[in-house]
Short mmCIF file of all heavy atoms in Angstrom, two decimals:
data_model
loop_
_atom_site.label_atom_id
_atom_site.label_comp_id
_atom_site.label_asym_id
_atom_site.label_seq_id
_atom_site.Cartn_x
_atom_site.Cartn_y
_atom_site.Cartn_z
N PHE A 269 0.86 -1.26 -0.05
CA PHE A 269 -0.06 -0.04 -0.02
C PHE A 269 0.89 1.29 0.07
O PHE A 269 0.66 2.22 -0.83
CB PHE A 269 -0.98 -0.01 1.21
CG PHE A 269 -1.88 1.07 1.35
CD1 PHE A 269 -3.23 0.94 0.83
CD2 PHE A 269 -1.58 2.35 1.75
CE1 PHE A 269 -4.18 1.92 0.86
CE2 PHE A 269 -2.53 3.40 1.78
CZ PHE A 269 -3.82 3.09 1.26
N TYR A 270 1.91 1.30 0.88
CA TYR A 270 2.69 2.46 1.02
C TYR A 270 3.55 2.61 -0.17
O TYR A 270 3.62 3.82 -0.72
CB TYR A 270 3.55 2.37 2.22
CG TYR A 270 4.45 3.52 2.46
CD1 TYR A 270 4.05 4.80 2.47
CD2 TYR A 270 5.91 3.39 2.42
CE1 TYR A 270 4.87 5.95 2.58
CE2 TYR A 270 6.74 4.42 2.58
CZ TYR A 270 6.20 5.76 2.59
OH TYR A 270 7.16 6.79 2.75
N GLU A 271 4.19 1.69 -0.77
CA GLU A 271 5.01 1.76 -1.95
C GLU A 271 4.19 2.25 -3.23
O GLU A 271 4.68 2.96 -4.04
CB GLU A 271 5.81 0.45 -2.12
CG GLU A 271 6.82 0.17 -1.05
CD GLU A 271 7.65 -0.91 -1.54
OE1 GLU A 271 7.36 -1.70 -2.49
OE2 GLU A 271 8.58 -1.33 -0.68
N ALA A 272 2.87 1.75 -3.21
CA ALA A 272 2.12 2.11 -4.40
C ALA A 272 1.56 3.45 -4.36
O ALA A 272 1.30 4.13 -5.36
CB ALA A 272 1.06 1.01 -4.57
N MET A 273 1.30 3.94 -3.07
CA MET A 273 0.67 5.26 -3.02
C MET A 273 1.35 6.15 -2.14
O MET A 273 0.62 6.94 -1.36
CB MET A 273 -0.72 4.96 -2.46
CG MET A 273 -1.59 4.03 -3.22
SD MET A 273 -3.28 3.74 -2.57
CE MET A 273 -3.85 2.33 -3.65
N ARG A 274 2.65 6.08 -1.95
CA ARG A 274 3.38 6.96 -1.08
C ARG A 274 3.21 8.43 -1.40
O ARG A 274 3.23 9.31 -0.42
CB ARG A 274 4.84 6.55 -1.02
CG ARG A 274 5.68 6.91 -2.32
CD ARG A 274 6.96 6.47 -2.26
NE ARG A 274 7.80 6.80 -3.43
CZ ARG A 274 8.46 7.85 -3.62
NH1 ARG A 274 8.49 8.91 -2.73
NH2 ARG A 274 9.18 8.04 -4.70
N GLY A 275 2.88 8.82 -2.59
CA GLY A 275 2.75 10.20 -2.87
C GLY A 275 1.48 10.78 -2.24
O GLY A 275 1.26 11.98 -2.18
N LEU A 276 0.46 9.86 -1.90
CA LEU A 276 -0.69 10.32 -1.15
C LEU A 276 -0.62 10.21 0.35
O LEU A 276 -1.59 10.59 0.99
CB LEU A 276 -1.91 9.55 -1.69
CG LEU A 276 -2.17 9.46 -3.19
CD1 LEU A 276 -3.26 8.50 -3.53
CD2 LEU A 276 -2.49 10.88 -3.60
N SER A 277 0.42 9.70 0.89
CA SER A 277 0.51 9.40 2.32
C SER A 277 0.71 10.73 3.17
O SER A 277 0.32 10.59 4.31
CB SER A 277 1.67 8.54 2.61
OG SER A 277 2.97 9.13 2.40
N GLY A 278 1.04 11.84 2.65
CA GLY A 278 1.34 12.94 3.41
C GLY A 278 2.59 12.84 4.30
O GLY A 278 2.78 13.80 5.19
N ALA A 279 3.47 11.89 4.15
CA ALA A 279 4.63 11.81 4.91
C ALA A 279 5.68 12.79 4.59
O ALA A 279 5.66 13.32 3.39
CB ALA A 279 5.25 10.36 4.79
N ALA A 280 6.61 12.93 5.52
CA ALA A 280 7.67 14.02 5.18
C ALA A 280 8.58 13.61 4.07
O ALA A 280 8.69 12.27 3.94
CB ALA A 280 8.42 14.24 6.50
N GLN A 281 9.26 14.40 3.40
CA GLN A 281 10.20 14.07 2.27
C GLN A 281 11.25 13.25 2.75
O GLN A 281 11.55 12.28 1.93
CB GLN A 281 10.66 15.36 1.64
CG GLN A 281 9.68 16.16 0.99
CD GLN A 281 8.94 15.70 -0.21
OE1 GLN A 281 9.60 14.69 -0.91
NE2 GLN A 281 7.76 15.91 -0.48
N ASP A 282 11.80 13.38 3.87
CA ASP A 282 12.93 12.58 4.32
C ASP A 282 12.58 11.27 4.82
O ASP A 282 13.27 10.30 5.23
CB ASP A 282 13.70 13.28 5.39
CG ASP A 282 12.82 13.62 6.61
OD1 ASP A 282 11.58 13.47 6.57
OD2 ASP A 282 13.37 14.05 7.65
N GLN A 283 11.25 10.90 4.88
CA GLN A 283 10.80 9.66 5.43
C GLN A 283 11.15 8.51 4.45
O GLN A 283 11.46 7.34 4.76
CB GLN A 283 9.24 9.63 5.71
CG GLN A 283 8.83 8.40 6.50
CD GLN A 283 8.58 7.19 5.69
OE1 GLN A 283 8.14 7.30 4.54
NE2 GLN A 283 8.81 6.10 6.30
N TRP A 284 10.90 8.79 3.11
CA TRP A 284 11.17 7.74 2.10
C TRP A 284 12.57 7.28 1.99
O TRP A 284 12.62 5.94 2.03
CB TRP A 284 10.70 8.36 0.70
CG TRP A 284 10.86 7.37 -0.40
CD1 TRP A 284 11.70 7.53 -1.41
CD2 TRP A 284 10.17 6.14 -0.61
NE1 TRP A 284 11.60 6.39 -2.34
CE2 TRP A 284 10.69 5.61 -1.90
CE3 TRP A 284 9.23 5.47 0.07
CZ2 TRP A 284 10.17 4.42 -2.35
CZ3 TRP A 284 8.72 4.22 -0.43
CH2 TRP A 284 9.28 3.73 -1.65
N PRO A 285 13.57 7.97 2.07
CA PRO A 285 15.00 7.44 2.16
C PRO A 285 15.19 6.51 3.40
O PRO A 285 15.82 5.48 3.39
CB PRO A 285 15.77 8.62 2.21
CG PRO A 285 15.13 9.64 1.61
CD PRO A 285 13.63 9.43 1.97
N HIS A 286 14.62 6.95 4.48
CA HIS A 286 14.68 6.05 5.74
C HIS A 286 13.91 4.80 5.47
O HIS A 286 14.46 3.74 5.92
CB HIS A 286 14.05 6.81 6.95
CG HIS A 286 14.07 6.13 8.23
ND1 HIS A 286 15.24 5.61 8.83
CD2 HIS A 286 12.99 5.69 9.08
CE1 HIS A 286 14.90 4.98 9.89
NE2 HIS A 286 13.61 4.90 10.01
N TYR A 287 12.84 4.80 4.88
CA TYR A 287 12.06 3.51 4.57
C TYR A 287 13.01 2.70 3.66
O TYR A 287 12.96 1.41 3.87
CB TYR A 287 10.69 3.87 3.98
CG TYR A 287 10.09 2.68 3.37
CD1 TYR A 287 9.30 1.94 4.16
CD2 TYR A 287 10.19 2.41 2.02
CE1 TYR A 287 8.53 0.75 3.68
CE2 TYR A 287 9.47 1.26 1.53
CZ TYR A 287 8.70 0.54 2.37
OH TYR A 287 8.10 -0.57 1.78
N LEU A 288 13.63 3.22 2.64
CA LEU A 288 14.39 2.43 1.86
C LEU A 288 15.60 1.85 2.54
O LEU A 288 16.01 0.64 2.29
CB LEU A 288 14.85 3.34 0.58
CG LEU A 288 13.80 3.85 -0.32
CD1 LEU A 288 14.46 4.77 -1.43
CD2 LEU A 288 13.09 2.71 -1.00
N THR A 289 16.04 2.60 3.48
CA THR A 289 17.15 1.94 4.36
C THR A 289 16.76 0.69 5.11
O THR A 289 17.36 -0.34 5.11
CB THR A 289 17.77 3.07 5.19
OG1 THR A 289 18.18 4.16 4.48
CG2 THR A 289 18.88 2.43 6.04
N LEU A 290 15.56 0.85 5.65
CA LEU A 290 15.00 -0.26 6.39
C LEU A 290 14.77 -1.40 5.44
O LEU A 290 14.91 -2.64 5.85
CB LEU A 290 13.64 0.19 7.17
CG LEU A 290 13.96 1.14 8.29
CD1 LEU A 290 12.57 1.50 8.91
CD2 LEU A 290 14.74 0.54 9.35
N ARG A 291 14.12 -1.23 4.34
CA ARG A 291 13.92 -2.17 3.27
C ARG A 291 15.11 -2.90 2.91
O ARG A 291 15.18 -4.13 2.79
CB ARG A 291 13.15 -1.76 2.12
CG ARG A 291 12.64 -2.77 1.23
CD ARG A 291 11.97 -2.12 -0.01
NE ARG A 291 12.79 -1.39 -0.87
CZ ARG A 291 12.29 -0.85 -1.99
NH1 ARG A 291 11.08 -0.93 -2.38
NH2 ARG A 291 13.08 -0.16 -2.72
N GLU A 292 16.09 -2.15 2.56
CA GLU A 292 17.53 -2.79 2.20
C GLU A 292 17.97 -3.55 3.40
O GLU A 292 18.61 -4.75 3.19
CB GLU A 292 18.43 -1.71 1.78
CG GLU A 292 19.78 -2.22 1.30
CD GLU A 292 20.73 -1.19 0.83
OE1 GLU A 292 20.30 0.01 1.00
OE2 GLU A 292 21.83 -1.51 0.36
N ALA A 293 17.93 -3.14 4.55
CA ALA A 293 18.42 -3.86 5.83
C ALA A 293 17.73 -5.09 5.95
O ALA A 293 18.28 -6.20 6.34
CB ALA A 293 18.31 -3.11 6.98
N ALA A 294 16.43 -5.19 5.74
CA ALA A 294 15.53 -6.33 5.79
C ALA A 294 15.94 -7.29 4.72
O ALA A 294 15.92 -8.62 4.95
CB ALA A 294 14.17 -6.11 5.80
N ASN A 295 16.28 -6.95 3.54
CA ASN A 295 16.69 -7.83 2.44
C ASN A 295 17.97 -8.34 2.60
O ASN A 295 18.33 -9.50 2.24
CB ASN A 295 16.59 -7.06 1.11
CG ASN A 295 15.10 -6.80 0.79
OD1 ASN A 295 14.25 -7.41 1.11
ND2 ASN A 295 15.01 -5.72 0.01
N LEU A 296 18.92 -7.61 3.33
CA LEU A 296 20.30 -8.18 3.40
C LEU A 296 20.58 -8.86 4.75
O LEU A 296 21.48 -9.62 4.80
CB LEU A 296 21.26 -6.86 3.49
CG LEU A 296 21.36 -6.14 2.17
CD1 LEU A 296 22.31 -4.80 2.39
CD2 LEU A 296 21.83 -6.99 1.03
N ALA A 297 19.61 -8.76 5.75
CA ALA A 297 19.77 -9.48 6.95
C ALA A 297 19.69 -10.92 6.82
O ALA A 297 18.96 -11.43 5.98
CB ALA A 297 18.91 -8.84 8.02
N ASP A 298 20.26 -11.59 7.75
CA ASP A 298 20.15 -13.10 7.70
C ASP A 298 20.13 -13.58 9.14
O ASP A 298 20.44 -12.79 10.07
CB ASP A 298 21.14 -13.87 6.89
CG ASP A 298 22.49 -13.40 7.35
OD1 ASP A 298 22.80 -12.71 8.33
OD2 ASP A 298 23.45 -13.72 6.52
N GLY A 299 19.87 -14.87 9.40
CA GLY A 299 19.86 -15.39 10.69
C GLY A 299 18.82 -14.88 11.55
O GLY A 299 17.68 -14.53 11.13
N TYR A 300 19.15 -14.70 12.89
CA TYR A 300 18.24 -14.23 13.85
C TYR A 300 17.85 -12.83 13.66
O TYR A 300 16.79 -12.35 14.08
CB TYR A 300 18.82 -14.44 15.22
CG TYR A 300 18.98 -15.87 15.72
CD1 TYR A 300 20.18 -16.48 15.67
CD2 TYR A 300 17.91 -16.61 15.94
CE1 TYR A 300 20.38 -17.75 15.98
CE2 TYR A 300 17.99 -18.01 16.27
CZ TYR A 300 19.29 -18.53 16.44
OH TYR A 300 19.50 -19.94 16.75
N ALA A 301 18.70 -12.00 13.04
CA ALA A 301 18.42 -10.61 12.75
C ALA A 301 17.50 -10.32 11.78
O ALA A 301 16.80 -9.20 11.64
CB ALA A 301 19.78 -9.83 12.58
N LYS A 302 17.16 -11.32 10.73
CA LYS A 302 16.30 -11.03 9.77
C LYS A 302 14.84 -10.69 10.07
O LYS A 302 14.35 -9.77 9.58
CB LYS A 302 16.35 -12.22 8.63
CG LYS A 302 15.68 -11.97 7.44
CD LYS A 302 15.96 -13.06 6.45
CE LYS A 302 15.34 -12.68 5.06
NZ LYS A 302 15.90 -11.36 4.47
N GLN A 303 14.39 -11.44 10.90
CA GLN A 303 12.90 -11.29 11.29
C GLN A 303 12.77 -9.90 11.90
O GLN A 303 11.79 -9.27 11.82
CB GLN A 303 12.43 -12.41 12.30
CG GLN A 303 10.97 -12.36 12.75
CD GLN A 303 10.15 -12.46 11.28
OE1 GLN A 303 10.31 -13.34 10.52
NE2 GLN A 303 9.17 -11.55 11.22
N ALA A 304 13.75 -9.64 12.91
CA ALA A 304 13.70 -8.17 13.55
C ALA A 304 13.64 -7.11 12.50
O ALA A 304 13.12 -6.02 12.61
CB ALA A 304 14.72 -8.08 14.50
N ALA A 305 14.57 -7.26 11.49
CA ALA A 305 14.62 -6.33 10.40
C ALA A 305 13.48 -6.12 9.61
O ALA A 305 13.02 -5.11 9.28
CB ALA A 305 15.93 -6.59 9.48
N ILE A 306 12.77 -7.30 9.37
CA ILE A 306 11.55 -7.33 8.52
C ILE A 306 10.44 -6.60 9.42
O ILE A 306 9.74 -5.91 8.80
CB ILE A 306 11.13 -8.79 8.25
CG1 ILE A 306 12.14 -9.38 7.13
CG2 ILE A 306 9.68 -8.92 7.74
CD1 ILE A 306 11.94 -10.82 6.88
N ASP A 307 10.32 -6.93 10.69
CA ASP A 307 9.42 -6.28 11.44
C ASP A 307 9.53 -4.84 11.50
O ASP A 307 8.63 -4.04 11.46
CB ASP A 307 9.51 -6.87 12.92
CG ASP A 307 8.97 -8.29 12.96
OD1 ASP A 307 8.27 -8.84 12.05
OD2 ASP A 307 9.41 -9.07 13.98
N ALA A 308 10.78 -4.27 11.64
CA ALA A 308 11.00 -2.88 11.64
C ALA A 308 10.58 -2.23 10.38
O ALA A 308 10.06 -1.16 10.29
CB ALA A 308 12.57 -2.58 11.89
N TRP A 309 10.82 -2.97 9.14
CA TRP A 309 10.58 -2.42 7.91
C TRP A 309 9.02 -2.38 7.64
O TRP A 309 8.50 -1.40 7.31
CB TRP A 309 11.11 -3.42 6.82
CG TRP A 309 10.58 -3.17 5.49
CD1 TRP A 309 10.41 -1.98 4.83
CD2 TRP A 309 10.51 -4.22 4.38
NE1 TRP A 309 10.00 -2.31 3.56
CE2 TRP A 309 10.07 -3.54 3.14
CE3 TRP A 309 10.66 -5.56 4.41
CZ2 TRP A 309 9.84 -4.23 2.08
CZ3 TRP A 309 10.41 -6.24 3.19
CH2 TRP A 309 9.98 -5.61 2.19
N ILE A 310 8.28 -3.43 8.16
CA ILE A 310 6.80 -3.47 8.08
C ILE A 310 6.18 -2.40 8.96
O ILE A 310 5.20 -1.70 8.47
CB ILE A 310 6.28 -4.85 8.22
CG1 ILE A 310 6.74 -5.78 7.24
CG2 ILE A 310 4.70 -4.88 8.38
CD1 ILE A 310 6.43 -7.33 7.48
N ASN A 311 6.70 -2.21 10.13
CA ASN A 311 6.22 -1.34 11.06
C ASN A 311 6.24 0.13 10.61
O ASN A 311 5.43 1.05 10.67
CB ASN A 311 6.74 -1.48 12.48
CG ASN A 311 6.32 -2.73 13.22
OD1 ASN A 311 5.23 -3.20 12.90
ND2 ASN A 311 7.14 -3.27 14.02
N GLU A 312 7.42 0.39 9.92
CA GLU A 312 7.68 1.73 9.34
C GLU A 312 6.68 2.01 8.22
O GLU A 312 6.08 3.09 8.21
CB GLU A 312 9.13 1.82 8.78
CG GLU A 312 9.51 3.18 8.26
CD GLU A 312 9.70 4.13 9.35
OE1 GLU A 312 9.60 3.79 10.52
OE2 GLU A 312 9.84 5.40 9.07
N ALA A 313 6.52 0.90 7.41
CA ALA A 313 5.42 1.04 6.34
C ALA A 313 4.05 1.29 6.96
O ALA A 313 3.27 2.12 6.29
CB ALA A 313 5.55 -0.09 5.38
#
């Protein structure tokens, strides 16, 4: 929802780069840290 309609979300301009950082961290994480990174990414979205 957020990625498809982020232009309508009303979020601050600097929020999107932070979201991309969390998404990249979730994709790169492995082991026990991966689930925590995914949860942080989803909660941010």
